[in-house]
Amino acid sequence: MTQQPQLPEPEKVKQTVTQMREVCRQFDSLNFALDELIAQIEADIRNSPLTAYRLGKIQPVSQATESEIGIK
């Protein structure tokens, strides 16, 4: 014959649910912090001179210097 699984005590279930909710809250907090960090890093990348150079928004230093002194 098979044994019926025993149900856990209601107090134990309540403690486990409380702990799981706390873990979920901590994960939510961590995800929020990571989202803020990603946004800061993306802003730094957008404001980077290297990004502007790669997108062709600024001239390379060597070309700017040559054009300023009239070298071709």
Side-chain angles (χ1 to χ4, degrees):
M1 288 196 226
T2 61
Q3 281 186 328
Q4 292 290 333
Q6 292 183 351
L7 295 174
E9 297 175 20
E11 186 59 35
K12 180 67 177 171
V13 172
K14 198 183 251 187
Q15 289 174 356
T16 302
V17 168
T18 302
Q19 290 172 347
M20 293 301 292
R21 285 184 177 147
E22 176 61 21
V23 168
C24 288
R25 188 196 62 74
Q26 290 174 351
F27 275 123
D28 287 343
S29 178
L30 178 61
N31 283 335
F32 181 73
L34 287 173
D35 285 343
E36 286 184 341
L37 180 60
I38 290 169
Q40 289 175 357
I41 291 170
E42 287 176 345
D44 287 347
I45 290 170
R46 279 192 306 274
N47 295 327
S48 166
L50 182 59
T51 301
Y53 169 73
R54 287 180 178 160
L55 293 174
K57 293 182 179 179
I58 61 173
Q59 289 183 336
V61 175
S62 61
Q63 286 180 359
T65 305
E66 289 173 0
S67 64
E68 288 172 2
I69 59 175
I71 299 175
K72 290 188 177 187

